[in-house]
């Protein structure tokens, strides 16, 4: 599922090009229209800053589409070989078994999720994303850096509220 929203009613909150005209109250009311359960169902929250057109035209080339495609399909194959399904399809105890969190990553996840007040469902979804990041990395276990990256994707939206 892919969804997009402006950070605030006028759309310029956090922009360096133009000042946001909204009051903090308006921003809070706008962002709180998204319910917690809905936010929980979205795996990746990424803030995309507004860029002037000139920056877009002159942006350096990133990783080639083909390189990304071959890295993704290798990651998907790792998941299939390990558990016979994608990470996204894992449910219940299979998540704990196959995510293969190392001890430091488990500790980091528990502490951070408790501090952020995450639901069990939110934690499970972050775990599956972390496992995918580990697969993209070619790592056998899911490590702190993978968990931290997955949690960061889920936090981006709420962190601004
Ligand atoms: Zn605004």
């Amino acid at each position: 599922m892919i969804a997009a929203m402006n950070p605030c009613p006028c759309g310029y909150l956090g922009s360096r090009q133009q000042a946001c005209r909204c009051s903090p109250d308006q921003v809070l009311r706008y962002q709180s229209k998204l319910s917690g359960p809905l936010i929980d169902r979205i795996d990746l929250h990424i803030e995309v800053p507004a860029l002037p057109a000139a920056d877009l035209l002159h942006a350096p080339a990133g990783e080639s589409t083909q390189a990304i495609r071959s890295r993704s399909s290798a990651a998907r194959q790792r998941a299939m070989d390990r558990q016979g399904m994608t990470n996204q399809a894992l449910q219940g105890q299979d998540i704990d078994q196959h995510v293969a969190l190392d001890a430091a990553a488990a500790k980091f996840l528990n502490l951070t999720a408790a501090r952020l007040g995450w639901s069990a469902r939110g934690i499970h979804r972050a775990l599956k994303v972390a496992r995918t990041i580990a697969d993209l990395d070619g790592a056998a276990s899911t490590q702190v850096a993978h968990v931290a990256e997955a949690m960061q994707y889920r936090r981006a939206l709420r962190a601004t509220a």
Side-chain angles (χ1 to χ4, degrees):
M1 168 178 180
I2 296 180
M5 68 180 285
N6 280 326
C8 68
C10 84
Y12 288 108
L13 183 67
S15 164
R16 270 171 295 168
Q17 277 75 50
Q18 193 155 340
C20 168
R21 300 184 301 268
C22 312
S23 70
D25 256 15
Q26 283 177 306
V27 173
L28 202 60
R29 226 175 312 131
Y30 177 81
Q31 292 195 349
S32 63
K33 279 188 201 151
L34 278 186
S35 70
L38 175 61
I39 289 179
D40 265 2
R41 288 193 179 84
I42 302 176
D43 288 328
L44 309 179
H45 297 163
I46 300 171
E47 278 185 63
V48 184
L51 289 176
D55 285 5
L56 286 174
L57 286 173
H58 299 116
E63 194 177 3
S64 80
T65 312
Q66 197 181 352
I68 293 172
R69 192 183 304 128
S70 75
R71 212 154 55 92
S72 316
S73 65
R76 192 185 169 87
Q77 194 56 52
R78 283 184 77 88
M80 296 306 287
D81 290 348
R82 178 178 58 238
Q83 65 216 14
M85 63 180 83
T86 64
N87 294 323
Q88 204 51 46
L90 288 173
Q91 297 288 340
Q93 291 187 332
D94 287 345
I95 298 174
D96 300 321
Q97 186 189 335
H98 293 298
V99 164
L101 269 187
D102 76 17
K107 189 171 171 191
F108 174 85
L109 175 68
N110 288 335
L111 285 174
T112 313
R115 194 158 54 82
L116 299 173
W118 280 17
S119 66
R121 185 175 60 199
I123 292 170
H124 275 155
R125 296 187 75 101
L127 271 177
K128 293 194 259 187
V129 172
R131 183 59 255 176
T132 298
I133 294 167
D135 284 333
L136 285 166
D137 206 14
S141 65
T142 301
Q143 298 152 18
V144 171
H146 307 136
V147 172
E149 187 176 344
M151 294 187 89
Q152 195 56 48
Y153 289 142
R154 295 186 58 81
R155 277 198 75 191
L157 190 58
R158 279 190 202 172
T160 63

